[in-house]
Amino acid sequence: MSTLTDSSTDAPRSRPPRPLGRDFSRLWTAAAFSNLADGLGRTAVPLIATTLTRDPLLISLLGAAAFVPWLVFGVPAGVIVDRFDRRRVMAVANTVRGIAAVGLAVLTVTGGLDIVWLLVGTLVFGFGETLFDNATNAVIPAVVARDQLDRANGRIQAAQITIDSFLAQPVAGVLFAVSLALPLWLGAAGYLVPIALALLLPLSAARSRATAAVVGPEQGEVVPGVVPEPMPATTSEPVPAGAALRYLWRHRFLRALVVFTSVVGCAFAFAQAPTLLYFLDVHGVPEIAIGFVTAGVGMGALAGSLVAARLVSRWGRGNVMWGANLAAAACMIAVGFAPNLIVAVIAYAGMAFAVSLWNVPWGALRQQIIPPALFGRTLGIIRTLTWGLFPVATVLGGLVASIDLRLPFIASGIVCLIATAVCTRLIRSASAHGVPAASE
């Protein structure tokens, strides 16, 4: 690591990190407003559902519906992101989600809303999310340097958590108490700002630079022909869609880590299916205060996203990812056994902290390993294989929660603990892949 010398003490000090730049600021702001709208809807929809039913299975179906689009549309969304102007993809995705939010609000006001319409609206939000989030992740390497990726992903995730947990969810709970439709109206407005900001991103964010050679030998190593630094869009022919699937299959490390992520992700989806009813019914939290409870949980997630890059720089990406999974498993089990609300919130916040510690380096690792011309499609395949399985896990979690609302947390924590122990060597080897994070 390069150092500067303090002239008064001659002691070396770390060089301050380079600014992420104006283009990243635009992307960050677009993601922030989109997360505001997402957070309002994510809180309002299940709260509205609880006014229609208290059945854990029906409530879990709403959670499952949010992930169905990743199962059926994750790969096509990746193809769209790789082949079309990513800025316009983001704009169109938010336009569709805004229209859906307005539709649900109108149905709520007119008294025509039921569980079916909530499921339809959740599906539309999910399809828009596959496009917007995929495009956002694909744009990040185009607006920052490779050694800034951990920091950039941390900032994006910190914004998501801060706005979702500390602003959107508490506000949605209060607005819900005033009027069922009010969070939906405000959410629809929140989708408008990212449309303009996405279209103001530079040309380099429009499409990845197509390359003639993107996949190396059988193990899937990148070979000459793939430019690691952000490059402007070109008129080269797009890489065939099947190349992304072949790349992922041949890259043994990435393929194995995706399988591990799928198992652990399903465990989290299984556990989180009864979360709302767990706090409402087990710990007696009133509906108007549920947003403030989730804000407490969000403190852990925010802390994890803010310290992740520093921990990666100090301890290595693999060690941080491994430790994060162990901590998440322990906290999940603690949620299941929590004797009161305070312990439950602290344990859940610890789990959120650990999930953030995983998400930041995992996102940067994908951006550093996957060739730019294949990123959208490869990410779509990865999320189809991981998030696409979440609906099944969520519904199963709802069924188990019908027996006991605590049981899904305990069972999922045990599964996560076993999976992490079995894959210890794989996870810790992540430090040998990609480019080390820049020192903070």
Side-chain angles (χ1 to χ4, degrees):
M1 179 182 68
S2 300
T3 60
L4 298 177
T5 301
D6 190 321
S7 59
S8 62
T9 62
D10 292 328
R13 57 185 175 88
S14 299
R15 175 179 297 168
R18 288 171 295 157
L20 294 174
R22 182 176 59 184
D23 292 331
F24 175 79
S25 295
R26 288 175 179 165
L27 181 65
W28 182 91
T29 306
F33 272 93
S34 188
N35 286 323
L36 172 62
D38 285 341
L40 290 171
R42 192 176 296 115
T43 303
V45 168
L47 282 176
I48 293 172
T50 61
T51 67
L52 303 173
T53 179
R54 302 295 279 195
D55 187 341
L57 180 58
L58 288 177
I59 298 296
S60 69
L61 285 175
L62 284 173
F67 295 108
V68 167
W70 289 103
L71 177 62
V72 301
F73 194 61
V75 176
V79 173
I80 291 172
V81 166
D82 280 343
R83 293 195 173 184
F84 294 94
D85 188 325
R86 289 167 175 168
R87 302 167 300 178
R88 294 180 181 176
V89 170
M90 295 168 69
V92 171
N94 266 20
T95 300
V96 173
R97 291 197 285 180
I99 294 173
V102 170
L104 288 179
V106 171
L107 287 171
T108 302
V109 170
T110 59
L113 190 68
D114 56 24
I115 288 291
V116 174
W117 280 116
L118 284 177
L119 286 170
V120 171
T122 301
L123 287 171
V124 174
F125 291 144
F127 280 109
E129 183 183 36
T130 61
L131 290 169
F132 189 90
D133 284 11
N134 199 319
T136 300
N137 277 272
V139 167
I140 292 175
V143 296
V144 301
R146 285 171 63 87
D147 63 353
Q148 295 177 309
L149 286 174
D150 281 296
R151 191 151 50 98
N153 280 278
R155 296 282 176 85
I156 291 286
Q157 183 161 293
Q160 175 184 351
I161 295 166
T162 302
I163 293 171
D164 192 355
S165 298
F166 301 116
L167 179 60
Q169 292 186 16
V171 168
V174 174
L175 294 177
F176 171 80
V178 175
S179 169
L180 296 184
L182 201 51
L184 295 172
W185 288 118
L186 188 58
Y191 283 124
L192 297 178
V193 175
I195 296 174
L197 290 173
L199 296 175
L200 289 174
L201 289 171
L203 184 61
S204 61
R207 284 179 60 181
S208 64
R209 182 175 182 267
T211 55
V214 294
V215 182
E218 184 169 344
Q219 67 269 30
E221 296 296 333
V222 179
V223 295
V226 175
V227 180
E229 295 298 331
M231 295 292 289
T234 70
T235 58
S236 303
E237 289 297 320
V239 180
L245 183 60
R246 290 193 298 271
Y247 173 81
L248 181 60
W249 178 255
R250 293 173 180 173
H251 201 298
R252 288 192 293 266
F253 167 76
L254 195 57
R255 181 183 66 204
L257 205 55
V258 167
V259 172
F260 168 80
T261 305
S262 299
V263 173
V264 173
C266 284
F268 279 109
F270 182 90
Q272 292 172 336
T275 294
L276 189 61
L277 290 178
Y278 168 79
F279 283 113
L280 291 175
D281 294 347
V282 174
H283 295 293
V285 177
E287 283 86 351
I288 192 174
I290 193 66
F292 296 96
V293 171
T294 55
V297 171
M299 291 180 65
L302 175 62
S305 66
L306 292 177
V307 305
R310 292 179 181 271
L311 293 179
V312 168
S313 179
R314 180 178 178 84
W315 301 106
R317 182 173 285 144
N319 290 330
V320 170
M321 294 171 73
W322 178 73
N325 276 280
L326 290 179
C331 289
M332 239 189 307
I333 295 173
V335 171
F337 286 108
N340 54 57
L341 177 61
I342 294 177
V343 174
V345 171
I346 292 174
Y348 215 119
M351 182 176 68
F353 176 87
V355 170
S356 289
L357 283 186
W358 166 272
N359 283 340
V360 170
W362 173 224
L365 185 66
R366 294 192 305 252
Q367 291 162 350
Q368 291 173 348
I369 291 178
I370 302 171
L374 292 179
F375 186 85
R377 275 159 287 190
T378 306
L379 182 61
I381 293 170
I382 290 173
R383 287 188 167 174
T384 295
L385 296 174
T386 52
W387 294 12
L389 297 174
F390 290 0
V392 177
T394 302
V395 172
L396 291 176
L399 287 172
V400 173
S402 300
I403 303 171
D404 189 327
L405 289 170
R406 296 175 179 269
L407 192 55
F409 295 100
I410 299 170
S412 297
I414 294 173
V415 170
C416 184
L417 189 63
I418 293 173
T420 303
V422 171
C423 297
T424 293
R425 183 176 179 182
L426 168 70
I427 301 170
R428 297 184 70 177
S429 70
S431 296
H433 297 263
V435 178
S439 175
E440 293 284 318

